[in-house]
Amino acid sequence: MGTAGDSEKKPTVVFVLGGPGSGKGTQCAKIVEHFGYTHLSAGDLLRAEIRSGSENGTMIQNMIKEGKIVPSEVTIKLLQKAMQDSGNDKFLIDGFPRNEENRAAFEAVTKIEPAFVLFFDCPEEEMERRILSRNQGREDDNIETIRKRFKVFLESSLPVVEYYESKGKVRKVDAAKPIDEVFEVVKAIFTPKDEKVAV
């Protein structure tokens, strides 16, 4: 009946989605601290691979230079390797899937469906305000660029959110609130129902 492979517990994966400035990085750090997840950022993994100077990294760098999208498979392989290397079985995957194609490829390649999607819902004006106030330094943070990043986020990521919404897997968080209030909501999402009784 069951082969040995079946007994392997699949890791718990939570996709973290939210526009630029929605505060997801801050919240991910808190989830790691409180709930023992490993935080994997697709962008960081790609950048680390480029820095490593590997053949794969060079290929990724050239694609980005040419303005091409890095193929889903490449990012997914990096995520899979990071998951295996971490020795953990609970992961926050941040900034991925960026689009519907990423999502389908992730499930096809890893055979993992996310436990849920943590979606930081933040009005565009608030994200703009945050990004502009926190960065006097980053050259890509002028208002046009921010709006463009936001538009790209909406166009590509919202279909992913909608797909998981249809499966009842989206946990939407009002990310416009102060950090601590947002984390209270996040904490409730990550706390197993049966533990909530013990105050």
Side-chain angles (χ1 to χ4, degrees):
M1 286 281 290
T3 57
D6 288 347
S7 62
E8 273 186 60
K9 202 157 84 51
K10 281 215 172 99
T12 303
V13 167
V14 174
F15 287 147
V16 182
L17 295 174
S22 61
K24 61 184 188 349
T26 307
Q27 296 297 328
C28 281
K30 286 176 168 290
I31 297 165
V32 167
E33 200 183 316
H34 280 77
F35 297 101
Y37 277 71
T38 295
H39 177 206
L40 300 177
S41 148
D44 287 352
L45 288 171
L46 288 166
R47 284 187 285 274
E49 187 68 19
I50 291 169
R51 278 199 307 272
S52 77
S54 70
E55 206 175 314
N56 197 27
T58 308
M59 178 199 75
I60 294 167
Q61 191 172 21
N62 291 338
M63 295 192 79
I64 293 172
K65 237 186 239 149
E66 289 161 25
K68 292 186 183 142
I69 299 283
V70 177
S72 297
E73 276 65 34
V74 173
T75 307
I76 292 164
K77 282 210 179 81
L78 290 174
L79 285 166
Q80 272 186 308
K81 186 176 181 310
M83 284 162 79
Q84 284 155 359
D85 293 349
S86 75
N88 199 349
D89 64 348
K90 301 191 295 191
F91 301 95
L92 299 172
I93 295 186
D94 176 1
F96 185 92
R98 286 189 93 101
N99 54 40
E100 194 45 28
E101 192 263 332
N102 277 174
R103 178 201 68 72
F106 182 86
E107 291 190 11
V109 172
T110 63
K111 305 285 182 278
I112 295 170
E113 265 205 36
F116 57 88
V117 174
L118 189 59
F119 177 45
F120 289 103
D121 197 13
C122 195
E124 185 169 2
E125 304 71 59
E126 175 61 22
M127 292 197 207
E128 282 176 13
R129 199 183 60 72
R130 287 179 183 180
I131 294 174
L132 291 170
S133 67
R134 74 174 179 204
N135 299 15
Q136 280 78 39
R138 262 176 56 183
E139 69 294 336
D140 61 346
D141 280 342
N142 60 53
I143 205 93
E144 283 70 48
T145 318
I146 296 167
R147 291 199 173 134
K148 203 157 77 193
R149 278 166 67 198
F150 191 75
K151 191 165 163 278
V152 167
F153 165 73
L154 286 181
E155 284 169 2
S156 54
S157 297
L158 278 187
V160 177
V161 174
E162 280 158 11
Y163 170 85
Y164 285 118
E165 211 145 31
S166 72
K167 292 181 155 325
K169 285 194 166 196
V170 173
R171 309 287 179 270
K172 201 180 266 192
V173 176
D174 174 0
K177 292 193 163 70
I179 289 173
D180 293 338
E181 284 179 42
V182 175
F183 189 57
E184 284 309 309
V185 176
V186 169
K187 243 184 353 204
I189 292 170
F190 279 87
T191 304
K193 298 286 172 277
D194 48 358
E195 284 178 23
K196 286 187 183 163
V197 196
V199 177

